[in-house]
Amino acid sequence: MICWHPDVEYRFINFLLFSSIPMPKNAISPTRQKDYPEWYQQVVKAADLAENSPVRGCMIIKPWGYGIWENMQRVLDRMFKDTGHENAYFPVFIPKSFLEKEAEHVDGFAKECAVVTHHRLEPGPDGGLVPAGELEEPLIVRPTSETIIGDAFSRWVQSYRDLPLKINQWANVVRWEMRTRLFLRTAEFLWQEGHTAHATKQEALEETRMMLGVYADFAENVMAMPVIKGEKTAGERFPGADVTYSIEAMMQDRKALQAGTSHFLGQNFSKAQEIKFQDAEGGESFAWTTSWGVSTRLIGALIMSHSDDDGLVLPPRMAPRQVVILPIFKNDEEKAKVMEACKALDKELKTLQYHGYRVESFVDDRDLRGGEKKWYHVKRGVPIRVEIGPRDLEKGSVFVGRRDQPKSYGISQAEFVSTLTDTLDEIQNGLYERALAMRAEHTRSIKSWDKFEKFFTPKNKDQPEIHGGFAECYFVDCPETDEKLKPLKVTPRCIPLDQDNEEGYCVFTGQKTKVKGIFGKSY
RNA sequence: CGGGAUGUGGCGUAGCCUGGUAGCGCGCUACACUGGGGGUGUAGAGGUCGCUGGUUCAAAUCCAGUCAUCCCGACCA
């Protein structure tokens, strides 16, 4: 600068601050890189999925979030029925004595049970209401329903002809957690729990694995979320189960999320609750039972699998609405024409079928500024935005924005409609491929403790950056292994069902073994 | 339940150290301009500073207690 003058400098700074220098702008702050947990919270908020409730640890699921859950329910419910299950409903309250029957089960859940001790409120001395009418036997708000369903099963099952018994219920459960996060861990959550009883061990085991397969199929093909099917180690097993299987997914911060579990309960619950039957030979046997479940946690998994720094990204098969139509006009005259065209397109799109269901589209004709409206839908993860304005009407075209890519493009309306379901599939598959590539990039086969330790240690200890991932290691499931992992906050996620059966040495104990496990930090 | 922090209009916050009855941003309302993009301007509405008590002429500001929330641990879908 040749001559300096305060005013000049002021204008220069002003220019820098307010002129239209294009700055990379994201709808969500902070970004994933900067503060992943906070990013997650902001996405939930910006997409209007849920909010914290007046009751600590509980959440209010808002329409857009509940819409996702309804889609999950719809698809899963059909899958359950296709594999021979029926829905039923059991009470939210469980007599305390029921929970006491299975020792391991008690240990697992007692610490986090909500207990009902009274059945009435009376005016208190200070004007408020105080509980009165103490119950003779306290009731537990179900943390899971093995015990109360098992009790029913014990009455329903008499003969081998009553088996198998395959029941599912959609319900809410309560677990009084210390620390909660929307969708990932809440004190009350929605889920489905399947409970089955079988005449033979073999059949029960097959059921357990089949349902694990159903979950994996759903996660990968409907949620576009790649998962690893595997068995849980002893330390991670469901309280009271002989074998616990799970599907494990990698989130974008490279932490693992258990997305669904399927338990082989052996005869533990049937013996505790006397689920027994007379077999064909006239002898008396205990049934073999299973239980399996997924919860609203899947919504958390969905968010963290695909979303970006502009907010939620929904795979089309999960989106409550696949298409939003945005009318663009300047005056009433244009509005009339544009709205007519929008409604016609909306109607036409709704006649299309996508994976067995109607395509859901809607016209957003709210009186909002264009940009605001666009970002509203970007943040909510609507897969496809269609803009229609006067110019498009003349050309018979539409302007299309896809949530999975930054750029918009023009296309003839006829072509848009005829290729819509293909485009949706392209988005759906693209999201899966992207998540799969991300997981592959951060999965390592690790053979030494040194490398293992390094893999899971952040460079910056005070403000840990996103690091680690999945480590695939030979290991022996024993207390020594668990102890060694503790300081790293790494846990065995699962023992994958796919094993190559080659021999190696346990990374933690040095013992010879054929078993490989997946290790990671987890939610 | 251990360690740390916070509690001010719908949301986010300044003020608190050095007491003198609240300021800002976003949002909201109205109008105008603008209109393929989260724009601009003008005018408004909205709080007594978590709760209780104390110190003081005077407290959002100091003290005590209490409740709630958040973060870090132990526990967990």
Side-chain angles (χ1 to χ4, degrees):
Chain A
M1 226 178 278
I2 298 167
C3 84
W4 179 91
H5 187 274
D7 191 38
V8 172
E9 188 180 44
Y10 171 74
R11 287 211 299 256
F12 180 64
I13 290 170
N14 220 21
F15 170 78
L16 284 180
L17 288 176
F18 302 108
S19 69
S20 53
I21 293 174
M23 295 234 288
K25 197 177 168 189
N26 296 114
I28 302 297
S29 169
T31 61
R32 285 163 289 180
Q33 276 300 324
K34 209 158 182 201
D35 185 348
Y36 194 86
E38 182 59 23
W39 166 84
Y40 174 81
Q41 309 266 43
Q42 292 303 324
V43 171
V44 171
K45 200 172 153 191
D48 217 18
L49 298 174
E51 63 187 29
N52 276 308
S53 78
V55 181
R56 179 198 147 76
C58 296
M59 65 177 161
I60 296 167
I61 307 177
K62 299 179 79 174
W64 192 245
Y66 200 76
I68 296 173
W69 181 238
E70 285 177 315
N71 276 356
M72 290 178 167
Q73 286 184 300
R74 185 173 73 170
V75 178
L76 281 169
D77 199 62
R78 188 180 280 182
M79 292 171 99
F80 297 156
K81 285 171 181 160
D82 285 348
T83 44
H85 302 88
E86 292 180 299
N87 284 334
Y89 187 80
F90 296 84
V92 69
F93 299 124
I94 301 177
K96 184 165 73 84
S97 57
F98 278 29
L99 216 66
E100 291 164 347
K101 284 180 187 163
E102 217 289 337
E104 274 188 45
H105 198 62
V106 182
D107 278 354
F109 287 107
K111 284 166 293 186
E112 50 189 40
C113 283
V115 186
V116 179
T117 53
H118 295 75
H119 64 86
R120 192 168 70 230
L121 289 170
E122 285 176 355
D126 305 322
L129 292 168
V130 293
E134 191 169 346
L135 297 174
E136 247 176 60
E137 181 180 0
L139 297 172
I140 313 299
V141 180
R142 64 179 162 220
T144 178
S145 305
E146 272 75 7
T147 55
I148 195 154
I149 293 181
D151 175 69
F153 277 16
S154 72
R155 283 177 281 112
W156 295 356
V157 175
Q158 320 261 320
S159 146
Y160 71 97
R161 291 194 180 90
D162 297 324
L163 296 172
L165 188 53
K166 305 199 345 168
I167 297 291
N168 175 63
Q169 88 162 341
W170 291 96
N172 60 337
V173 287
V174 169
R175 297 181 189 175
W176 215 261
E177 300 286 351
M178 290 288 105
R179 292 188 60 200
T180 58
R181 283 180 79 188
L182 290 174
F183 292 117
L184 296 174
R185 174 161 302 111
T186 46
E188 179 193 17
F189 55 95
L190 306 183
W191 77 347
Q192 61 67 218
E193 45 181 328
H195 295 271
T196 69
H198 306 263
T200 65
K201 180 180 181 179
Q202 184 57 28
E203 194 183 298
L205 270 169
E206 277 166 17
E207 165 80 10
T208 313
R209 294 206 190 101
M210 175 177 75
M211 295 322 289
L212 184 75
V214 165
Y215 287 155
D217 178 16
F218 176 77
E220 302 201 322
N221 294 313
V222 185
M223 293 176 64
M225 178 176 78
V227 293
I228 295 171
K229 288 185 283 185
E231 186 181 333
K232 284 291 190 184
T233 59
E236 301 266 316
R237 210 174 277 151
F238 177 76
D242 277 2
V243 183
T244 288
Y245 294 105
S246 76
I247 50 171
E248 299 284 331
M250 186 192 284
M251 303 294 101
Q252 290 184 71
D253 61 353
R254 304 183 210 163
K255 283 163 89 173
L257 187 83
Q258 179 175 311
T261 48
S262 185
H263 313 291
F264 170 67
L265 303 175
Q267 292 179 311
N268 303 331
F269 283 86
S270 63
K271 281 180 178 163
Q273 301 186 280
E274 307 219 298
I275 308 172
K276 49 190 181 182
F277 63 96
Q278 201 165 29
D279 57 37
E281 285 77 44
E284 191 179 65
S285 312
F286 286 104
W288 301 82
T289 63
T290 80
S291 71
W292 28 273
V294 296
S295 70
T296 35
R297 180 178 237 205
L298 284 180
I299 298 175
L302 192 70
I303 296 166
M304 290 199 289
S305 292
H306 307 302
S307 301
D308 61 22
D309 295 334
D310 283 330
L312 188 64
V313 176
L314 288 173
R317 295 190 66 180
M318 283 282 90
R321 287 158 166 175
Q322 285 82 26
V323 183
V324 56
I325 301 167
L326 306 171
I328 289 163
F329 50 81
K330 286 181 194 141
N331 49 47
D332 285 352
E333 191 196 345
E334 285 184 0
K335 179 178 178 178
K337 286 185 193 162
V338 169
M339 281 307 297
E340 195 189 335
C342 288
K343 281 180 184 160
L345 176 62
D346 180 52
K347 205 173 167 192
E348 186 178 5
L349 292 180
K350 281 178 176 152
T351 64
L352 298 175
Q353 290 285 308
Y354 183 60
H355 290 276
Y357 299 99
R358 190 178 86 175
V359 168
E360 293 296 341
S361 76
F362 72 113
V363 182
D364 186 353
D365 60 351
R366 288 175 304 161
D367 181 21
L368 282 179
R369 280 183 290 271
E372 204 173 339
K373 210 188 269 186
K374 170 193 160 181
W375 283 101
Y376 174 86
H377 296 291
V378 169
K379 286 185 278 193
R380 287 160 73 102
V382 178
I384 293 181
R385 302 181 303 279
V386 187
E387 300 171 4
I388 299 184
R391 271 184 272 155
D392 299 303
L393 291 189
E394 282 169 28
K395 291 188 288 183
S397 67
V398 293
F399 207 63
V400 178
R402 278 170 55 161
R403 184 59 183 86
D404 63 334
Q405 37 183 250
K407 281 189 181 166
S408 308
Y409 55 91
I411 181 174
S412 85
Q413 185 167 325
E415 192 184 347
F416 169 71
V417 174
S418 68
T419 58
L420 179 67
T421 56
D422 292 340
T423 308
L424 290 173
D425 269 341
E426 198 181 307
I427 296 173
Q428 176 85 27
N429 297 334
L431 291 178
Y432 177 80
E433 292 302 328
R434 190 164 80 184
L436 188 64
M438 190 258 155
R439 189 183 76 186
E441 190 186 339
H442 300 294
T443 300
R444 301 262 187 292
S445 177
I446 292 179
K447 296 209 163 61
S448 77
W449 171 249
D450 277 359
K451 283 182 182 159
F452 189 91
E453 209 174 9
K454 206 174 162 195
F455 186 57
F456 286 111
T457 305
K459 290 193 179 80
N460 182 347
K461 262 214 144 157
D462 299 326
Q463 259 190 312
E465 73 283 358
I466 292 175
H467 65 281
F470 283 178
E472 195 185 18
C473 308
Y474 286 107
F475 86 114
V476 176
D477 183 11
C478 60
E480 197 185 338
T481 297
D482 287 341
E483 274 311 305
K484 204 156 182 187
L485 284 167
K486 246 185 185 167
L488 279 181
K489 289 181 197 163
V490 173
T491 48
R493 297 322 307 148
C494 70
I495 303 159
L497 296 185
D498 293 331
Q499 295 275 338
D500 53 21
N501 261 331
E502 282 171 31
E503 214 166 28
Y505 295 93
C506 172
V507 168
F508 314 99
T509 65
Q511 298 170 64
K512 226 174 201 183
T513 175
K514 282 186 174 177
V515 178
K516 267 188 187 170
I518 297 288
F519 295 80
K521 298 190 179 181
S522 82
Y523 274 93

